Amino acid sequence: MNIRFIILTILISLLSAANSLYASAALVGKTAPDFTLRSNQEDNKKLSELRGRVVLINFWASWCGPCTQELPKLNELKDLHGDDGFELLAINIDDEPEKAIKLMKKLGVDMTVLFDEDKQVSKQYQIDAMPMTIILDRAGNVRYIHRGYKESYLGLYEKQIKQLKYE
């Protein structure tokens, strides 16, 4: 294989990855795109109705291994902060919501899940990793974006939520 071709392929891959990171990073500091999604509870959720609360939005899928590791930890975070100006929106992107509900039961997770079956909200938020977590301040602005899942993210989420709750 030609070395120039290999170098060109690597450069294109790096530029594509950088462009993807830049796209969703461009949301930081801006008002989060509003949406209304169907939930596994009785009512739909509209993001703009949560102004005044710190909101953690987590995009996940039942087929995503790191998502299944993170969901129980997010459930604990919700239990810790849920009554104190904090809201967790777990947005599932599966084509079949039943898969999400089945996984939640298996994991023993008790939270409101929103369903983005047509992926329109995922497109608005330029989701390019699974899971992907976005933290909003009380004014509804995107403050933090986290791609993937690492155990260390949970401490970071906790720190960022506390900071935003008292700003």
Side-chain angles (χ1 to χ4, degrees):
M1 192 176 268
N2 184 330
I3 189 73
R4 288 183 186 164
F5 177 77
I6 294 171
I7 291 172
L8 182 60
T9 302
I10 292 170
L11 285 174
I12 290 170
S13 296
L14 289 172
L15 287 173
S16 176
N19 185 42
S20 176
L21 289 175
Y22 175 75
S24 54
L27 291 172
V28 174
K30 296 184 179 169
T31 301
D34 197 18
F35 58 82
T36 301
L37 288 174
R38 182 174 68 86
S39 80
N40 65 333
Q41 306 297 323
E42 300 218 356
D43 57 348
N44 293 338
K45 287 278 187 179
K46 183 174 178 126
L47 179 63
S48 59
E49 292 176 352
L50 300 175
R51 295 274 163 83
R53 300 175 67 84
V54 174
V55 178
L56 184 148
I57 304 171
N58 180 264
F59 289 86
W60 66 281
S62 63
W63 46 261
C64 166
C67 298
T68 62
Q69 294 175 332
E70 186 176 44
L71 281 172
K73 303 295 184 182
L74 292 175
N75 197 61
E76 291 174 18
L77 195 62
K78 172 200 61 95
D79 291 344
L80 184 63
H81 292 283
D83 295 330
D84 191 22
F86 172 74
E87 188 82 24
L88 169 66
L89 299 179
I91 300 179
N92 178 267
I93 65 159
D94 286 327
D95 294 331
E96 301 171 33
E98 300 77 29
K99 292 180 180 179
I101 293 168
K102 183 178 177 180
L103 177 65
M104 288 178 45
K105 287 179 184 175
K106 178 181 175 184
L107 295 174
V109 173
D110 179 27
M111 65 175 72
T112 301
V113 173
L114 306 178
F115 301 108
D116 186 22
E117 297 166 72
D118 64 4
K119 317 296 186 278
Q120 291 304 308
V121 176
S122 300
K123 288 177 188 170
Q124 283 182 293
Y125 282 83
Q126 303 163 0
I127 301 307
D128 57 8
M130 261 312 116
M132 190 158 158
T133 300
I134 299 168
I135 302 177
L136 312 180
D137 63 20
R138 291 179 181 276
N141 299 312
V142 175
R143 294 292 293 274
Y144 303 103
I145 297 176
H146 303 278
R147 287 174 180 74
Y149 168 71
K150 296 178 185 172
E151 188 75 32
S152 63
Y153 281 1
L154 297 168
L156 190 56
Y157 296 165
E158 176 76 19
K159 179 181 175 186
Q160 292 169 344
I161 290 165
K162 283 182 181 177
Q163 172 202 343
L164 295 173
K165 282 170 61 174
Y166 299 108
E167 272 189 358

